[in-house]
């Protein structure tokens, strides 16, 4: 990058917040995936106006701008594959308002999700989307990837809670979408245009979120199955039966073993699969739902169904779920986490397809995830230093996507498209759909400077 | 060890990092700086870059690795079990081999290996300190009169004076009694010897009170932590060998009352000792190392405690809680002292910001980290902050002085000794 431009940009954010040294830029060359690409400059702006000023300079000189939250993304979204500026949002980390009467919150995008969740909880309210990465990820990142979490089955995912956004566009202009009134419909839903846009359409600088009531009671259960197919059938049957659990998570045998190895908490290592189920609501309803859930599980050939007797027991079960990623990391270091998702009714077929693909390419693959959403998280455990194996991995990934799409599903339930899934987006959308996406991108970001090389800006080379 | 061999060792840890970023959520430095170049993930990936040949061991890289408290919060928080503590130590050493250390550090560490010279220097220092230092306004310690070049002493910083008479001059080398329950050798470490001898005396009292024989070898050397954590492995190795020799007697326990000395003797020597014979001897010693609070919890007689009507809170030193797995023990001891009002503070096990030489180089940053500790301590309403580490004590005391707080700081051993003394007084006072 031209030194004069670097000086100009540095003047905007201040010396301390412009990182030019190679060693520092290197720390911004990756996210939670296995790809690397170096930025030319890292800027840590402290305000919306600084961001707008940076964008204006970048626009003038045709420099790519890659917005970055905590870089915990799983599709390469924050990796500057075309170089340019990495714009780190973590200094914008304040809660502007939590309104308990009208039940909304206004926050800055760089706040760590967990810090926001704690503040909402303190105010006596509830914000349901809770990705497993909430301790480190940012809300801006959550919205940009449309993050989901275990509560998604009943409460929905991030997009169901975004009321409005303030966004800085590629040329530095500032727009506001939506407003604090839930139900605002003056014009198309621009907010949704930016939700899940992965930094390719604008830089989100302020967020308005809907809040809801805390459930009065909840109960956690674990159902143990001999065969994963039965667990899959349970999920589709349960969802069809009318009672919607808060959470419905699946873990297959390899996952159970990995977690048990890691935590030693007495999980059933012989089981083909387990389902972790939570129901919430007012205490009477919870009791009724527990009975119902247990019956469905039993009807679908569960070996046993247990309800956690104490909060400690329940916490242990959720800890088991949260430990899946690290536990798998211990088996094989490179964890390719896919989140191809299918309609709930097709889960049994998807499970069969995943197992077939694992076998075909002789790969260690575990299945766990938000089954209630149809989001299965097939994870391939491999080693990125093993070139031959990585070649099989990339073929297997392609087949996973094809299988999901064939069952009427999607490439990504929650991790986004980013760089890694960009080549396959056209499969899901079709040529015309993909072109439409390109046209939208072109209209909003005509010079294609925002997070280039990703999503609709992907060109097969 | 050749550089290739070192990198082979690194690779075993590096391959485990899944770049999940969980370490962001625990790193005290990151929480202040908000910059990926301070996280464990950032540093681990930089080392990956070194191994792959994309990153060089430059002075800038060396500086990034120095901006770390070695507090081990990231080791404990890492879901993949990456031993970042081993990696960062080894990286500092590799950097020091490549870029060498600043001259002041080199001279200072060299001095540590000449025990006698070091000892004389510090004694002389206790006389000379008034030339360079003046008493702080609140009388808690000393402040530098002028910038002492290379000392890393910020003019604002308040440090305790050197003791008029070091600990090892105050007590006999061997104290024995009849029917001893066991033989303990007390590794005092430098700070208890030269700065806080009263806390060291408390340790000896505790051991004696419980009927143990105590040896305090006069020829023990510095544990070497300041040297090997800065990357000076040779000095660290030499000091380790000296101490292994000194502690290899017929003792049942090796008692420490300093978090860093304890963690070094118990664990970290394993990373620096290379000589096979020394290693075998060290392994025997390692199994006997015990912090004084752990000793009291295991072997102490709680019946000897008298009432202590004090409001206290406790700070877990990094190298005690994560280096030696000592955190329940002092709390159990507090619970056994009658009338003692112990109030656990929020984030008691988060680093106080001292981090050895870290607080000299990054004084402002280490103060900001320390401020959270002091806020949490103040929230408990306690009058005393108790901790098992002299370095934490020094940094926290400085912080309290800076903000004009009345809270007092003491060593865990001093509190326990007080409880025993209260027990004695009660007995003397009649039925
Ligand atoms: C261990 C682990 C567990 C995870 N669990 C889940 C889970 O349960 N559910 C789930 O959905 N995801 C999960 N993820 C994925 C990831 O945490 C989420 O995608 C998260 O929302 C990313 O947030 P971030 O702040 O790290 O964003 P980053 O990775 O920094 O960025 C992600 C994308 O958002 C863009 N972006 C970030 N901030 C802004 C902004 N202010 N304006 C515009 N664009 C922006 C970036 O350009 C990038 O394209 C997990 C990841 C890990 C490592
Ligand atoms: S927590 Fe561990 S595995 Fe995760 S990024 Fe940090 S060092 Fe790597
Ligand atoms: S040792 Fe402490 S300061 Fe250093 S990277 Fe780990 S958590 Fe951060």
């Amino acid at each position: 990058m031209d030194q004069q431009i670097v000086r100009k940009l540095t003047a905007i954010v201040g010396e301390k917040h412009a990182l030019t040294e190679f060693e520092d830029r290197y720390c911004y060359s990756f996210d939670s995936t296995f790809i690397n690409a170096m930025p030319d400059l890292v800027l840590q702006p402290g305000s919306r106006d600084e961001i707008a000023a940076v964008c204006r300079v970048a626009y003038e000189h045709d420099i790519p701008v890659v917005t970055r939250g905590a870089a915990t993304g799983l599709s390469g979204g924050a990796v500057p594959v075309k170089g340019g500026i990495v714009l780190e949002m973590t200094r914008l980390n304040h809660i502007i308002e939590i309104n308990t009467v009208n039940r909304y919150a206004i926050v800055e995008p760089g706040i760590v999700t967990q810090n926001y969740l704690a503040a909402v909880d303190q105010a006596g309210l509830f914000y349901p989307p809770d990705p497993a990465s909430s301790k480190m990820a940012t809300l801006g990142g959550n919205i940009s990837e449309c993050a989901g979490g275990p509560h998604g089955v009943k409460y929905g995912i991030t997009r169901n809670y975004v009321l409005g956004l303030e966004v800085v566009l590629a040329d530095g202009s500032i727009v506001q979408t939506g407003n604090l009134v839930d139900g605002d419909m003056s014009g198309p839903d621009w907010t949704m245009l930016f939700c899940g846009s992965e930094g390719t359409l604008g830089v989100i600088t302020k967020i308005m979120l809907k809040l809801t009531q805390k459930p009065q009671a909840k109960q956690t259960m674990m159902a143990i199955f001999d065969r994963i197919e039965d667990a899959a059938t349970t999920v589709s049957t349960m969802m069809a039966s009318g009672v919607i659990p808060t959470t419905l998570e699946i873990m297959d045998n390899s996952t159970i073993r990995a977690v048990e190895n890691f935590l030693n908490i007495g999980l059933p290592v012989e089981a083909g699969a387990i389902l972790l189920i939570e129901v919430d609501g007012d205490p009477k309803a919870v009791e009724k739902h527990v009975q119902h859930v247990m019956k469905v599980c039993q009807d679908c050939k569960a070996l046993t169904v247990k309800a956690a007797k104490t909060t400690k027991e329940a916490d242990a079960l959720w800890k088991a779920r949260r430990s899946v990623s690290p536990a798998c990391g211990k088996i094989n270091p490179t964890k390719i986490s896919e989140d191809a998702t299918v309609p709930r009714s097709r889960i049994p077929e998807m499970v069969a397809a995943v197992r077939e693909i694992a076998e075909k390419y002789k790969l260690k693959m575990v299945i766990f995830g938000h089954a209630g959403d149809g989001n299965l998280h097939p994870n391939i455990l491999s080693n990125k230093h093993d070139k031959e194996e990585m070649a099989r991995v990339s073929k297997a990934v392609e087949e996973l996507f094809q299988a999901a799409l064939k069952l009427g599903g999607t490439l990504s339930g929650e991790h986004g498209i980013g760089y890694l899934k960009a080549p396959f987006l056209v499969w899901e959308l079709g040529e015309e759909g993909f072109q439409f996406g390109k046209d939208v991108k072109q209209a909003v970001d005509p010079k294609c400077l925002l997070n280039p090389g990703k999503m609709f800006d992907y060109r097969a080379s | 060890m050749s550089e290739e061999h070192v990198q082979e060792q690194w690779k075993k840890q590096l391959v485990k990092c899944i770049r999940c970023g969980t370490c962001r959520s625990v790193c005290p430095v990151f929480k202040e700086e908000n910059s990926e170049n301070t996280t464990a993930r950032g540093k681990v990936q930089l080392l990956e870059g070194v191994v792959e040949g994309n990153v060089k061991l430059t002075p800038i890289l060396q500086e990034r690795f120095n901006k770390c408290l070695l507090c081990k919060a990231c080791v404990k928080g890492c879901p993949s079990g990456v031993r970042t503590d081993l990696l960062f130590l080894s990286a500092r050493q590799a950097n020091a081999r490549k870029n060498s250390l600043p001259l002041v550090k080199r001279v200072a560490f060299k001095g540590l290996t000449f025990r006698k010279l070091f000892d004389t220097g510090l004694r002389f220092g206790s006389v000379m300190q008034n030339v360079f230092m003046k008493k702080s306004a609140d009388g808690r310690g000393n402040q530098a009169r002028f910038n002492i070049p290379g000392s890393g002493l910020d003019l604002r910083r308040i440090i305790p004076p050197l003791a008029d008479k070091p600990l090892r001059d105050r007590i006999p080398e061997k104290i024995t009694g009849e029917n001893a329950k066991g033989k303990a050798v007390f590794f005092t470490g430098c700070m208890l010897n030269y700065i806080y001898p009263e806390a060291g005396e408390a340790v000896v009292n505790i051991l004696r009170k419980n009927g143990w024989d105590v040896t305090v070898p006069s020829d023990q050397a510095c544990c070497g932590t300041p040297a090997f954590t800065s990357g000076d492995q040779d000095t660290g190795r030499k000091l380790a060998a000296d101490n292994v020799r000194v502690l290899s007697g017929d003792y049942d326990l090796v008692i420490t009352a300093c978090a860093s000395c304890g963690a070094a003797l118990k664990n970290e020597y394993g990373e620096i000792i290379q000589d096979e014979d020394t290693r075998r001897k060290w392994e025997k010693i390692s199994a006997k190392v015990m912090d004084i609070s752990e000793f009291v919890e295991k072997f102490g007689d709680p019946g000897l405690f008298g009432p202590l009507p004090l409001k206290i809170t406790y700070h877990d030193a990094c190298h005690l809680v994560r280096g030696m797995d000592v955190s329940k023990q002092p709390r159990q001891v507090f619970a056994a002292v009658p009338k003692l009002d112990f109030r656990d503070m929020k984030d008691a096990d988060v680093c106080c910001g001292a981090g050895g030489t870290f607080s000299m180089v990054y004084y402002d940053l280490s103060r900001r980290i320390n401020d959270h500790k002091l806020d949490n301590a103040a929230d408990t309403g306690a009058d005393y902050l108790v901790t098992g580490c002299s370095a934490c004590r020094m940094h926290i005391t400085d912080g309290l002085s800076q903000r004009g707080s009345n809270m007092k700081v003491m060593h865990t051993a001093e509190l326990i000794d007080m409880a025993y003394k209260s027990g004695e007084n009660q007995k003397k006072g009649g039925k």
Side-chain angles (χ1 to χ4, degrees):
Chain A
M1 200 181 287
D2 184 76
Q3 279 315 304
Q4 218 172 337
I5 303 173
V6 172
R7 273 197 295 277
K8 233 175 167 172
L9 290 164
T10 304
I12 296 171
V13 294
E15 198 89 40
K16 179 167 188 275
H17 300 293
L19 309 182
T20 52
E21 299 291 358
F22 173 83
E23 291 80 354
D24 294 331
R25 288 183 289 120
Y26 190 86
C27 294
Y28 292 82
S29 65
F30 54 83
D31 64 359
S32 290
T33 62
F34 55 92
I35 57 171
N36 283 63
M38 280 293 277
D40 298 305
L41 179 65
V42 177
L43 299 175
Q44 304 166 317
S47 70
R48 175 199 69 185
D49 292 343
E50 286 180 14
I51 293 169
V54 167
C55 286
R56 276 196 295 276
V57 174
Y59 194 77
E60 188 189 332
H61 300 284
D62 292 342
I63 303 165
V65 175
V66 181
T67 315
R68 183 187 197 264
T72 66
L74 293 172
S75 51
V79 181
V81 293
K82 304 260 156 145
I85 300 166
V86 162
L87 204 57
E88 182 169 47
M89 302 298 286
T90 43
R91 283 179 68 213
L92 275 76
N93 57 8
H94 303 95
I95 295 177
I96 299 164
E97 184 188 358
I98 291 183
N99 190 309
T100 49
V101 178
N102 298 311
R103 291 205 186 146
Y104 65 74
I106 308 178
V107 294
E108 292 184 338
I111 189 170
V112 173
T113 306
Q114 183 59 49
N115 296 349
Y116 165 70
L117 293 178
V120 170
D121 187 64
Q122 189 123 47
L125 290 168
F126 182 39
Y127 176 80
D130 60 340
S133 52
S134 59
K135 270 196 301 191
M136 54 271 191
T138 65
L139 266 182
N142 291 169
I143 288 161
S144 302
E145 296 287 3
C146 196
H151 287 134
V153 192
K154 176 167 170 182
Y155 290 100
I157 53 178
T158 301
R159 83 160 150 250
N160 303 98
Y161 293 86
V162 188
L163 293 170
L165 299 169
E166 177 187 81
V167 185
V168 172
L169 300 178
D171 63 358
S173 50
I174 300 165
V175 294
Q176 177 164 333
T177 73
N179 66 34
L180 291 167
V181 184
D182 190 10
D184 156 58
M185 227 38 245
S186 316
D189 196 346
W190 299 124
T191 306
M192 282 308 113
L193 181 65
F194 292 100
C195 188
S197 68
E198 305 184 19
T200 65
L201 297 180
V203 182
I204 298 167
T205 48
K206 200 161 40 178
I207 302 169
M208 291 164 248
L209 294 166
K210 184 158 73 178
L211 299 173
T212 171
Q213 218 173 354
K214 275 192 211 177
Q216 288 168 291
K218 49 186 168 190
Q219 175 69 57
T220 302
M221 285 159 278
M222 175 168 75
I224 304 172
F225 297 84
D226 219 1
R227 297 172 350 120
I228 189 168
E229 290 77 6
D230 296 334
T233 314
T234 308
V235 174
S236 44
T237 314
M238 180 99 62
M239 298 310 288
S241 75
V243 168
I244 309 285
T246 328
T247 312
L248 190 41
E249 298 283 306
I250 195 167
M251 286 161 72
D252 74 351
N253 177 274
S254 330
T255 313
I256 301 170
R257 280 175 190 273
V259 174
E260 182 55 23
N261 248 336
F262 185 61
L263 288 181
N264 276 316
I265 51 168
L267 292 177
V269 290
E270 297 301 323
I274 55 178
L275 288 178
L276 287 180
I277 308 162
E278 186 185 272
V279 291
D280 72 3
D282 79 84
K284 277 224 180 77
V286 167
E287 216 172 288
K288 246 177 51 202
H289 289 167
V290 167
Q291 297 307 328
H292 176 91
V293 166
M294 288 193 156
K295 179 149 187 330
V296 174
C297 292
Q298 273 145 7
D299 290 350
C300 296
K301 302 195 204 141
L303 295 175
T304 41
V305 198
K306 286 189 261 192
K309 285 191 205 69
T310 57
T311 19
K312 217 172 135 199
E313 265 183 50
D315 288 348
L317 289 176
W318 291 117
K319 180 158 185 221
R321 170 62 184 91
R322 278 196 307 272
S323 306
V324 169
S325 293
C328 291
K330 286 216 155 154
I331 299 180
N332 254 346
T334 313
K335 192 167 100 13
I336 318 279
S337 171
E338 287 311 336
D339 65 328
T341 302
V342 296
R344 291 156 185 152
S345 58
R346 321 268 327 236
I347 287 178
E349 291 163 80
M350 186 63 187
V351 166
V354 172
R355 304 225 309 180
E356 213 168 277
I357 294 166
E359 209 149 294
K360 178 167 167 195
Y361 290 102
K362 304 208 166 24
L363 291 168
K364 272 194 202 141
M365 218 188 276
V366 296
I367 301 176
F368 62 90
H370 321 311
D373 285 343
N375 190 337
L376 281 180
H377 286 333
N379 269 246
I380 306 172
L381 310 181
S382 56
N383 184 340
K384 70 176 172 188
H385 298 294
D386 183 340
K387 294 247 152 49
E388 185 274 328
E389 188 179 60
M390 287 307 275
R392 276 183 282 140
V393 169
S394 79
K395 287 208 185 103
V397 167
E398 283 188 26
E399 283 197 27
L400 277 175
F401 292 150
Q402 279 162 345
L405 293 174
K406 215 163 73 200
L407 295 169
T410 168
L411 294 177
S412 168
E414 55 182 28
H415 297 162
I417 299 301
Y419 180 71
L420 291 177
K421 285 185 220 160
F424 312 108
L425 192 52
V426 64
W427 294 357
E428 178 167 344
L429 300 177
E431 291 294 344
E432 281 173 6
F434 190 71
Q435 188 55 47
F436 179 68
K438 270 181 160 338
D439 293 346
V440 172
K441 164 82 177 165
Q442 181 71 30
V444 182
D445 176 18
K447 288 184 160 186
C448 202
L449 296 176
L450 297 178
N451 212 354
K454 316 269 174 75
M455 218 197 270
F456 293 112
D457 186 42
Y458 176 83
R459 285 175 201 86
S461 53
Chain B
M1 228 186 288
S2 68
E3 295 301 321
E4 291 84 62
H5 185 75
V6 169
Q7 296 201 357
E8 283 309 312
Q9 297 295 104
W10 288 0
K11 277 187 197 164
K12 285 187 202 144
Q13 297 300 329
L14 294 174
V15 68
K16 288 195 261 180
C17 176
I18 53 170
R19 299 175 166 192
C20 65
T22 307
C23 40
R24 290 171 66 100
S25 66
V26 295
C27 177
V29 178
F30 172 72
K31 283 185 184 169
E32 299 304 318
E33 298 287 280
N34 258 320
S35 200
E36 192 76 53
N37 61 9
T38 59
T39 65
R41 174 170 72 167
K43 292 195 278 280
V44 168
Q45 291 305 319
L46 280 168
L47 292 183
E48 176 99 23
V50 171
V51 168
E52 285 168 356
N54 298 324
V55 177
K56 301 271 167 310
L57 295 169
T58 59
I60 294 172
L61 193 79
Q62 185 171 26
E63 200 276 342
R64 298 302 179 264
F65 276 88
N66 286 345
K67 200 172 179 175
C68 164
L69 295 157
L70 296 181
C71 72
K72 297 180 194 267
C74 48
V75 184
K76 183 158 173 260
C78 175
S80 291
V82 181
R83 286 295 304 272
T84 46
D85 52 346
L86 304 184
L87 272 176
F88 297 167
L89 256 181
S90 176
R92 284 188 180 187
Q93 284 157 5
N95 270 316
R97 282 193 297 274
K98 181 82 199 315
N99 302 311
S100 91
L101 291 171
L103 184 67
V104 250
K105 278 197 179 178
R106 280 200 322 255
V107 172
F109 296 152
K110 195 80 207 148
L112 290 178
T113 61
F114 299 106
R115 197 190 51 77
K116 285 241 170 62
L117 187 73
F118 177 56
D119 189 57
T120 317
L122 284 183
R123 281 158 199 277
F124 188 57
S126 122
V127 181
M128 288 300 287
Q129 56 187 338
N130 294 339
V131 177
F132 302 112
M133 311 291 286
K134 58 172 187 249
K135 263 219 146 18
S136 66
D138 66 354
R140 281 204 213 225
N142 288 349
Q143 261 166 312
R145 289 186 196 273
F146 46 84
N147 262 319
I148 305 168
S151 72
L153 277 184
D154 192 285
L155 282 181
R156 289 162 296 167
R157 194 161 194 213
I158 296 174
I159 58 159
L162 291 170
D164 308 337
K165 198 173 176 191
L167 171 66
R168 296 199 289 262
D169 283 2
R170 298 183 180 206
I171 44 174
E173 196 166 351
K174 258 194 170 47
I175 315 177
T176 52
E178 276 171 31
N179 305 326
K181 291 193 186 141
K183 278 188 272 183
V185 56
F186 176 25
F187 186 85
T188 66
C190 301
M191 290 193 76
L192 287 182
N193 192 42
Y194 296 109
I195 298 176
Y196 297 114
E198 291 81 8
E201 286 176 316
V203 172
V204 176
N205 293 347
I206 292 169
L207 292 166
R208 292 297 303 137
K209 181 86 191 166
N210 285 293
W212 280 62
D213 282 352
V214 189
T215 307
V216 191
S218 60
D219 51 351
Q220 52 181 291
C222 163
C223 70
T225 301
F228 69 74
T229 55
S230 295
D232 183 351
Q233 216 175 356
D234 292 340
T235 302
R237 198 169 290 145
K238 182 160 184 324
L239 292 167
D242 283 352
N243 286 323
V244 165
R245 184 176 44 73
V246 169
L247 298 174
S248 280
D250 165 30
Y251 306 115
D252 302 308
L253 289 178
V254 177
I255 294 292
T256 56
C258 165
S260 302
C261 301
L265 291 182
K266 196 173 178 63
N267 299 314
E268 280 149 16
Y269 276 7
E271 300 302 321
I272 51 174
I273 293 174
Q274 283 179 341
D275 171 63
E276 272 314 311
D277 183 48
T278 312
R279 173 173 290 277
R280 263 193 305 278
K281 287 191 187 135
W282 166 71
E283 277 163 3
K284 283 203 195 112
I285 293 169
S286 159
K288 297 183 204 167
V289 174
M290 191 176 273
D291 180 68
I292 188 67
S293 63
E294 197 178 353
F295 170 85
V296 174
E297 190 262 327
K298 269 215 173 85
F299 300 108
D301 175 1
L304 299 174
F305 288 141
L308 267 192
L310 302 177
K311 270 187 265 176
I312 66 156
T313 188
Y314 178 75
H315 160 64
D316 286 286
C318 300
H319 290 178
L320 267 184
V321 55
R322 288 175 291 275
M324 294 178 82
D325 208 13
V326 169
S327 77
K328 282 203 288 297
Q329 298 86 337
R331 290 176 170 79
Q332 274 158 7
V333 172
F334 300 153
V337 176
K339 293 247 160 66
L340 185 66
D341 181 357
F342 168 61
R343 306 164 172 205
D344 230 336
M345 68 168 112
K346 185 175 157 229
D347 295 338
D349 65 348
V350 171
C351 181
C352 72
T357 48
F358 180 93
S359 58
M360 299 187 185
V361 186
Y362 307 101
Y363 183 67
D364 277 312
L365 177 55
S366 81
R367 275 265 63 79
R368 291 205 314 271
I369 296 171
N370 195 246
D371 277 339
H372 301 302
K373 177 84 358 181
L374 301 184
D375 289 344
N376 291 334
D379 285 347
T380 65
D383 299 318
Y384 291 86
L385 185 147
V386 178
T387 186
C389 169
S390 302
C392 302
R393 175 182 193 169
M394 179 166 131
H395 195 50
I396 290 170
T397 307
D398 173 32
L400 290 169
S401 296
Q402 304 286 351
R403 57 165 68 183
S405 158
N406 289 326
M407 188 179 279
K408 287 176 268 313
V409 189
M410 67 171 128
H411 194 287
T412 316
E414 287 172 301
L415 184 93
I416 296 171
D417 190 30
M418 273 167 80
Y420 284 148
K421 296 232 160 80
S422 158
E424 280 164 29
N425 289 336
Q426 209 177 20
K427 239 192 195 153
K428 276 189 217 141
K431 312 284 141 212

